[in-house]
Amino acid sequence: MVAERPRDSRHEEIDAILDERDGSVTETRDDADKYTVVGAAHRRTFANWLTPVEEHFVCHRNDIPSIDEEAWTVSLTGQVEGSVSVADLEESYPTVAVAHTMECAGNGRGQHRPETGSVQWEFEAAATALWTGTPVRSILREHGIESPDGRWLTAIGGDPSDGDDIFARSIPLSKALEDCLLAYEMNGDPLPREHGYPVRLIVPGWYGVNSVKWVEELVIMDEMVTEGALDRPGKHASWQQESYRIHPEGVEPDAQATIDEVDTWAQLEGDVSYPYTFDANVMSLIGAPDGESPVPFDRDGITVRGVAWAGDDAVDYVDVSTDGGETWDEAELFGPDYDGAWRLFRYDWDVEPGTHVLFSRATDELGRRQPVSISDPDAWNEVLENDEYPWNEGGYAANAYEPNGVEVTILEGDDE
Ligand SMILES: Nc1nc2c(c(=O)[nH]1)N[C@H]1C(S)=C(S)[C@@H](COP(=O)(O)O)O[C@H]1N2
Ligand SMILES: [Mo]
């Protein structure tokens, strides 16, 4: 283990972000002080489709690198050779905009009992933005890569390593060629520093950790990154092979060179030992009512509104319960429908004054539904069949609906 160094710059970074965003995000508890983390301050963020940059969570481990945009290049290595500058990306390649729901793999970690280590997100580390940039496909094709052939793409961040871990993440080359991009704009504006300026990878529908910020190198190899695989000093594989894998307490998962199944839920159900957090599990959140202030009674009813997503799979339907999970009714999906981005849902609630507990529960196109709760730490096998999500040491990819409930008090109006 590398000794942790206390770092003042961490708190300066967080304070600067909080200042700039003026109440739209808050700092999240991170006892080990390992991450720069802020998340959506209010549930209202989850009542709208596009998340303003001000409300978009931020999560990274190292200092934001200091950047000279003119000099910044992305080198292409391994089975490709070359480099592209930011100006090349902007001027010499096709430009696309992609809607992507970014969710930290640790979102919902706060559902785990007992608590796991690391950042205690409740639900605030999810957001949808429009990312503009160059398809990875366009760049790789020009450099002679036509087909995936079971290979992997490893993206390396230019953030200075903390200890000697470099930030490197591998995704299947098939995914990279399908829909990933090197993004330089977010919601139509230049990328903010904390979101990866001048250029980051966007992996639509996959957990945030795969979308490497401040990208300086793309490596094409037959395998995903393992220790010693990269041509540079430092520790190469801790972000791919050690952290961000789903496993019971006390297990140190073996590094794997390749896996055949990359869908996170399918890995959980199948034979990949200790799944990698790739595409996001089916999830939903209610954004309105927000549970923060009592709602005045309205005899015409109240509209419950929220968002639901399922990584790069589609959401099939969302059920809403207004009685703490006793009964469920199907909500209506509406609004924009892009691969890799969440859907809005609404439900007309014929409400009586009183206190009510609301839940939402999404099901994806493969019939996978959000589980009721997180299992005990000693349960591992068969938890999915019991409608539980496995408690795991890193607290990753939790998607139970119960802790996402909102308690709403409906007040009788004065004039009723
Ligand atoms: N280079 C680099 N990229 C990174 C990280 C990092 O620490 N370094 N953090 C990852 C994690 S864990 C998440 S959840 C997302 C968050 O992206 P955002 O801050 O733009 O929301 O960035 C990912 N990309
Ligand atoms: Mo994350």
PDB file of all heavy atoms in Angstrom, residues 261 264-273 275 384:
ATOM      1  N   GLU A 261     -17.452 -11.034 -21.073  1.00  0.00           N
ATOM      2  CA  GLU A 261     -18.727 -10.367 -20.803  1.00  0.00           C
ATOM      3  C   GLU A 261     -18.425  -9.038 -20.122  1.00  0.00           C
ATOM      4  O   GLU A 261     -17.817  -9.019 -19.055  1.00  0.00           O
ATOM      5  CB  GLU A 261     -19.567 -11.251 -19.864  1.00  0.00           C
ATOM      6  CG  GLU A 261     -20.902 -10.654 -19.485  1.00  0.00           C
ATOM      7  CD  GLU A 261     -21.762 -10.339 -20.705  1.00  0.00           C
ATOM      8  OE1 GLU A 261     -22.269 -11.269 -21.328  1.00  0.00           O
ATOM      9  OE2 GLU A 261     -21.904  -9.125 -21.037  1.00  0.00           O
ATOM     10  N   THR A 264     -22.042  -4.995 -16.830  1.00  0.00           N
ATOM     11  CA  THR A 264     -21.762  -5.145 -15.397  1.00  0.00           C
ATOM     12  C   THR A 264     -22.707  -6.136 -14.726  1.00  0.00           C
ATOM     13  O   THR A 264     -22.296  -7.002 -13.955  1.00  0.00           O
ATOM     14  CB  THR A 264     -21.841  -3.767 -14.699  1.00  0.00           C
ATOM     15  OG1 THR A 264     -20.963  -2.871 -15.383  1.00  0.00           O
ATOM     16  CG2 THR A 264     -21.435  -3.852 -13.238  1.00  0.00           C
ATOM     17  N   TRP A 265     -24.003  -6.024 -15.055  1.00  0.00           N
ATOM     18  CA  TRP A 265     -24.993  -6.901 -14.422  1.00  0.00           C
ATOM     19  C   TRP A 265     -24.799  -8.348 -14.874  1.00  0.00           C
ATOM     20  O   TRP A 265     -24.887  -9.286 -14.078  1.00  0.00           O
ATOM     21  CB  TRP A 265     -26.410  -6.413 -14.749  1.00  0.00           C
ATOM     22  CG  TRP A 265     -27.448  -6.953 -13.831  1.00  0.00           C
ATOM     23  CD1 TRP A 265     -28.232  -8.046 -14.038  1.00  0.00           C
ATOM     24  CD2 TRP A 265     -27.804  -6.417 -12.542  1.00  0.00           C
ATOM     25  NE1 TRP A 265     -29.066  -8.232 -12.956  1.00  0.00           N
ATOM     26  CE2 TRP A 265     -28.835  -7.245 -12.026  1.00  0.00           C
ATOM     27  CE3 TRP A 265     -27.372  -5.337 -11.781  1.00  0.00           C
ATOM     28  CZ2 TRP A 265     -29.434  -7.015 -10.787  1.00  0.00           C
ATOM     29  CZ3 TRP A 265     -27.962  -5.108 -10.552  1.00  0.00           C
ATOM     30  CH2 TRP A 265     -28.975  -5.937 -10.064  1.00  0.00           C
ATOM     31  N   ALA A 266     -24.492  -8.516 -16.163  1.00  0.00           N
ATOM     32  CA  ALA A 266     -24.247  -9.869 -16.677  1.00  0.00           C
ATOM     33  C   ALA A 266     -22.995 -10.461 -16.029  1.00  0.00           C
ATOM     34  O   ALA A 266     -22.940 -11.667 -15.764  1.00  0.00           O
ATOM     35  CB  ALA A 266     -24.118  -9.844 -18.202  1.00  0.00           C
ATOM     36  N   GLN A 267     -22.001  -9.642 -15.757  1.00  0.00           N
ATOM     37  CA  GLN A 267     -20.820 -10.144 -15.040  1.00  0.00           C
ATOM     38  C   GLN A 267     -21.238 -10.642 -13.654  1.00  0.00           C
ATOM     39  O   GLN A 267     -20.796 -11.695 -13.194  1.00  0.00           O
ATOM     40  CB  GLN A 267     -19.775  -9.044 -14.853  1.00  0.00           C
ATOM     41  CG  GLN A 267     -19.052  -8.597 -16.115  1.00  0.00           C
ATOM     42  CD  GLN A 267     -18.046  -7.502 -15.771  1.00  0.00           C
ATOM     43  OE1 GLN A 267     -17.092  -7.728 -15.036  1.00  0.00           O
ATOM     44  NE2 GLN A 267     -18.275  -6.314 -16.294  1.00  0.00           N
ATOM     45  N   LEU A 268     -22.096  -9.874 -12.989  1.00  0.00           N
ATOM     46  CA  LEU A 268     -22.571 -10.268 -11.653  1.00  0.00           C
ATOM     47  C   LEU A 268     -23.323 -11.591 -11.687  1.00  0.00           C
ATOM     48  O   LEU A 268     -23.188 -12.419 -10.794  1.00  0.00           O
ATOM     49  CB  LEU A 268     -23.522  -9.198 -11.100  1.00  0.00           C
ATOM     50  CG  LEU A 268     -22.908  -8.004 -10.384  1.00  0.00           C
ATOM     51  CD1 LEU A 268     -23.969  -6.918 -10.178  1.00  0.00           C
ATOM     52  CD2 LEU A 268     -22.321  -8.417  -9.035  1.00  0.00           C
ATOM     53  N   GLU A 269     -24.106 -11.774 -12.746  1.00  0.00           N
ATOM     54  CA  GLU A 269     -24.910 -12.994 -12.847  1.00  0.00           C
ATOM     55  C   GLU A 269     -24.109 -14.172 -13.374  1.00  0.00           C
ATOM     56  O   GLU A 269     -24.507 -15.315 -13.201  1.00  0.00           O
ATOM     57  CB  GLU A 269     -26.087 -12.764 -13.809  1.00  0.00           C
ATOM     58  CG  GLU A 269     -27.149 -11.862 -13.243  1.00  0.00           C
ATOM     59  CD  GLU A 269     -28.271 -11.604 -14.246  1.00  0.00           C
ATOM     60  OE1 GLU A 269     -27.990 -11.546 -15.462  1.00  0.00           O
ATOM     61  OE2 GLU A 269     -29.421 -11.474 -13.806  1.00  0.00           O
ATOM     62  N   GLY A 270     -23.015 -13.876 -14.054  1.00  0.00           N
ATOM     63  CA  GLY A 270     -22.315 -14.925 -14.781  1.00  0.00           C
ATOM     64  C   GLY A 270     -20.997 -15.327 -14.162  1.00  0.00           C
ATOM     65  O   GLY A 270     -20.841 -15.317 -12.947  1.00  0.00           O
ATOM     66  N   ASP A 271     -20.039 -15.657 -15.007  1.00  0.00           N
ATOM     67  CA  ASP A 271     -18.826 -16.243 -14.446  1.00  0.00           C
ATOM     68  C   ASP A 271     -17.628 -15.307 -14.384  1.00  0.00           C
ATOM     69  O   ASP A 271     -16.514 -15.772 -14.200  1.00  0.00           O
ATOM     70  CB  ASP A 271     -18.362 -17.512 -15.182  1.00  0.00           C
ATOM     71  CG  ASP A 271     -19.358 -18.004 -16.182  1.00  0.00           C
ATOM     72  OD1 ASP A 271     -20.431 -18.393 -15.703  1.00  0.00           O
ATOM     73  OD2 ASP A 271     -19.078 -17.962 -17.397  1.00  0.00           O
ATOM     74  N   VAL A 272     -17.800 -14.045 -14.547  1.00  0.00           N
ATOM     75  CA  VAL A 272     -16.636 -13.173 -14.373  1.00  0.00           C
ATOM     76  C   VAL A 272     -16.401 -13.045 -12.869  1.00  0.00           C
ATOM     77  O   VAL A 272     -17.299 -12.660 -12.127  1.00  0.00           O
ATOM     78  CB  VAL A 272     -16.881 -11.778 -14.981  1.00  0.00           C
ATOM     79  CG1 VAL A 272     -15.738 -10.837 -14.632  1.00  0.00           C
ATOM     80  CG2 VAL A 272     -17.036 -11.890 -16.492  1.00  0.00           C
ATOM     81  N   SER A 273     -15.193 -13.438 -12.421  1.00  0.00           N
ATOM     82  CA  SER A 273     -15.018 -13.329 -10.984  1.00  0.00           C
ATOM     83  C   SER A 273     -14.676 -11.889 -10.630  1.00  0.00           C
ATOM     84  O   SER A 273     -13.714 -11.324 -11.139  1.00  0.00           O
ATOM     85  CB  SER A 273     -13.986 -14.300 -10.444  1.00  0.00           C
ATOM     86  OG  SER A 273     -12.859 -14.291 -11.259  1.00  0.00           O
ATOM     87  N   PRO A 275     -16.674  -8.658 -10.783  1.00  0.00           N
ATOM     88  CA  PRO A 275     -16.961  -7.802 -11.935  1.00  0.00           C
ATOM     89  C   PRO A 275     -16.242  -6.453 -11.925  1.00  0.00           C
ATOM     90  O   PRO A 275     -16.004  -5.857 -10.871  1.00  0.00           O
ATOM     91  CB  PRO A 275     -18.471  -7.595 -11.835  1.00  0.00           C
ATOM     92  CG  PRO A 275     -18.974  -8.819 -11.155  1.00  0.00           C
ATOM     93  CD  PRO A 275     -17.909  -9.204 -10.181  1.00  0.00           C
ATOM     94  N   LEU A 384     -28.926 -11.738  -6.013  1.00  0.00           N
ATOM     95  CA  LEU A 384     -29.724 -11.101  -7.062  1.00  0.00           C
ATOM     96  C   LEU A 384     -31.100 -11.748  -7.171  1.00  0.00           C
ATOM     97  O   LEU A 384     -32.107 -11.078  -7.356  1.00  0.00           O
ATOM     98  CB  LEU A 384     -28.999 -11.159  -8.413  1.00  0.00           C
ATOM     99  CG  LEU A 384     -27.659 -10.414  -8.485  1.00  0.00           C
ATOM    100  CD1 LEU A 384     -27.060 -10.565  -9.870  1.00  0.00           C
ATOM    101  CD2 LEU A 384     -27.800  -8.946  -8.126  1.00  0.00           C
TER     102      LEU A 384
END
